Amino acid sequence: MTEPSVGIIGGTNGMGRWLAELLAARGCRVSVTGRKTAVTAADAARSCDVVVVAVPIAATSDVIAQVGPLLQSSQALMDLTSLKEEPVALMLSSSPAEVVGCHPLFGPQAADPAEHSIVLCRGRGETWYAWMKAVFEQAGYTVLEKTPAEHDRVMAVVQALSHLNTIALGMAVAAAGFSAAQLEPFATPVFKTKMELVKKVFTESPELYADIIAGNPNRREVFAVYENVLRTLSEPVGSGDGKKLKHAMETAAEKLFAPKP
């Protein structure tokens, strides 16, 4: 069977480039578009069997609105963003094509597929969804099939809450009057690891982490949980009651690390 043609909008870097390399190795005819490529997003939409939107979160809606109407029902439109409800809804409303939501749960430098998972969300149609699922599974990835709402609810914790905690740590250290350089001679291995993550989030691509948090439809709920936990901790921390703090941790541990049923 001849492999389909795939156009990846934003495929010159990041996860778009990862997907382009994966599909090219499989034998697909891959067209990559970017700000400086001769091939445009519109060209890819008109000529490729599968069109993938792999641009930053902030630009995703505009790109979907641009290319969606150019596709036919025989084609597929897919996104690679860290959010799923809004992009999938936009793809469905803007295009007659089959629709697939996709979120690889790793970065472009990930090496061993056996150690990583990819979330797929059905939008419209089965043909291209099944093909994409087979591509990832045959490459060695674990595919998690979820609805867009299920994905975003889990990612509110896995990504939004996690990044929020990292941002809060960095801002708290700065508010305490210290720089990373001042603390480095005193840093424990755990603190060094945490501050390396703070540096990555704050300096490498802060817009990515900000958009992941701000765009998640469950952001208010997860932020309220975070605030409530801090309030719960204020009494034992404020009073210096180590026993109460330990009890709070043990109670949470029972939920976190309970054996699987």
Side-chain angles (χ1 to χ4, degrees):
M1 176 182 175
T2 302
E3 292 292 346
S5 58
V6 181
I8 303 179
I9 303 170
T12 58
N13 291 295
M15 295 308 294
R17 183 173 181 177
W18 159 80
L19 183 61
E21 292 174 351
L22 175 68
L23 295 175
R26 183 183 173 89
C28 295
R29 291 164 291 141
V30 180
S31 297
V32 169
T33 81
R35 295 175 182 176
K36 300 180 180 180
T37 60
V39 178
T40 67
D43 292 334
R46 292 190 180 100
S47 64
C48 295
D49 298 311
V50 179
V51 178
V52 182
V53 178
V55 298
I57 292 173
T60 297
S61 296
D62 288 343
V63 172
I64 290 173
Q66 174 193 350
V67 303
L70 303 178
L71 275 69
Q72 305 299 315
S73 59
S74 60
Q75 296 171 276
L77 181 59
M78 184 173 89
D79 79 303
L80 284 185
T81 66
S82 300
L83 302 169
K84 289 277 76 76
E85 286 193 72
E86 182 178 353
V88 170
L90 287 171
M91 289 189 289
L92 289 170
S93 65
S94 67
S95 177
E98 292 195 15
V99 169
V100 181
C102 178
H103 179 199
L105 303 179
F106 50 87
Q109 305 305 320
D112 185 0
E115 297 179 355
H116 300 290
S117 299
I118 298 173
V119 177
L120 285 183
C121 301
R122 281 183 170 83
R124 178 193 296 127
E126 182 61 30
T127 300
W128 290 114
Y129 180 92
W131 178 78
M132 203 73 253
K133 182 173 183 287
V135 166
F136 292 140
E137 289 182 335
Q138 290 168 15
Y141 294 99
T142 297
V143 173
L144 306 175
E145 301 183 79
K146 299 295 178 183
T147 67
E150 289 171 337
H151 168 276
D152 285 0
R153 186 172 184 275
V154 174
M155 286 300 112
V157 173
V158 173
Q159 287 192 313
L161 178 59
S162 176
H163 298 328
L164 176 64
N165 185 61
T166 299
I167 292 168
L169 173 61
M171 293 180 67
V173 170
F178 290 100
S179 68
Q182 287 175 302
L183 296 175
E184 199 279 331
F186 304 91
T188 64
V190 171
F191 187 75
K192 285 182 180 179
T193 299
K194 289 185 176 181
M195 288 304 293
E196 286 171 1
L197 185 55
V198 168
K199 183 177 181 180
K200 175 182 175 65
V201 169
F202 278 48
T203 65
E204 289 189 13
S205 52
E207 68 283 352
L208 169 64
Y209 301 100
D211 288 343
I212 287 174
I213 296 172
N216 192 293
N218 303 284
R219 61 189 179 277
R220 293 184 181 89
E221 175 186 343
V222 77
F223 187 70
V225 169
Y226 192 74
E227 284 187 307
N228 187 56
V229 167
L230 291 178
R231 283 193 294 269
T232 300
L233 292 175
S234 65
E235 194 281 323
V237 172
S239 64
D241 192 332
K243 289 184 179 180
K244 284 187 178 180
L245 184 57
K246 175 175 175 289
H247 176 70
M249 294 165 64
E250 290 174 339
T251 300
E254 290 176 1
K255 297 180 181 178
L256 283 171
F257 308 113
K260 292 183 179 180

